[in-house]
Amino acid sequence: MREPFDGFDLTDFWAVSEYADQEYVDNPITSDKVAMVEQELGYKLPLAYVVLMATQNGGEPKRTNHRTSEATSWASDHIAIAGIFSIGDAKPSSLLGDVGSQFWIDEWGYPTIGVYFADCPSAGHDMICLDYRERGPHGEPKVVHVDQEYDYRITFVAENFEAFIRGLQADEDFE
């Protein structure tokens, strides 16, 4: 089995942001923290997610857009993310935080299909989710966009988390 992100430079992935430090970036991950989050969520996190969070545990990526083959409430050809949730519970935008994965299910009525791991610039009107429906809670999830504005319509984004991260593009690619 190959290592996630082979040949992909993660050293320049994260943007420097006071807001991200306050809302997303948690203390470094440990195997105990990963196990606690997985147990609480009821899903095994993709290895690529854990590898990325080992570089910085949550935050705002420099490239925040991903192409889609279908239109969403955001754009006709892509989605955008605001940040990626950290593994933990210390920050509001961590997987177990105040506005973490379960918050979107409980408070906003998002479908129970997996782990909501990234928010969008729409302030809750769409989210990015690790979708475990096809492969079960211990399988490799797909990445989908869930659009509250379109009656929680689910749009495929990437085959897995690593493909999602590799597919992120800069704003200027869509101007």
Side-chain angles (χ1 to χ4, degrees), residues 15-26 56 58-60 91:
V16 175
S17 163
E18 277 186 44
Y19 177 78
D21 289 345
Q22 197 172 31
E23 297 296 316
Y24 295 92
V25 182
D26 200 342
Q56 175 178 302
E60 296 175 1
K91 296 297 177 114

Side-chain angles (χ1 to χ4, degrees), residues 21-162:
D21 289 345
Q22 197 172 31
E23 297 296 316
Y24 295 92
V25 182
D26 200 342
N27 294 324
I29 63 169
T30 64
S31 57
D32 288 343
K33 186 186 284 194
V34 172
M36 181 265 301
V37 168
E38 289 176 337
Q39 181 170 353
E40 183 73 25
L41 292 172
Y43 295 99
K44 175 117 177 94
L45 295 172
L47 179 58
Y49 196 100
V50 176
V51 167
L52 178 63
M53 293 306 120
T55 68
Q56 175 178 302
N57 193 10
E60 296 175 1
K62 289 182 177 179
R63 294 173 302 281
T64 58
N65 302 279
H66 199 289
R67 291 204 183 275
T68 58
S69 58
E70 296 177 49
T72 67
S73 60
W74 182 255
S76 64
D77 63 349
H78 71 283
I79 53 97
I81 63 171
I84 300 174
F85 296 174
S86 55
I87 296 175
D89 59 4
K91 296 297 177 114
S93 294
S94 55
L95 290 175
L96 300 180
D98 292 342
V99 291
S101 184
Q102 196 62 43
F103 168 83
W104 298 103
I105 295 166
D106 293 345
E107 299 296 322
W108 280 65
Y110 276 84
T112 308
I113 61 171
V115 177
Y116 291 90
F117 73 91
D119 52 359
C120 298
S122 65
H125 295 280
D126 54 335
M127 295 292 296
I128 310 302
C129 185
L130 296 170
D131 181 357
Y132 288 84
R133 291 176 298 172
E134 285 183 23
R135 299 174 183 150
H138 300 287
E140 184 71 21
K142 293 183 178 187
V143 175
V144 298
H145 173 262
V146 183
D147 203 329
Q148 185 257 349
E149 290 293 305
Y150 287 3
D151 197 26
Y152 299 101
R153 186 176 78 194
I154 298 170
T155 302
F156 172 83
V157 178
E159 192 59 38
N160 55 50
F161 183 78
E162 181 178 352

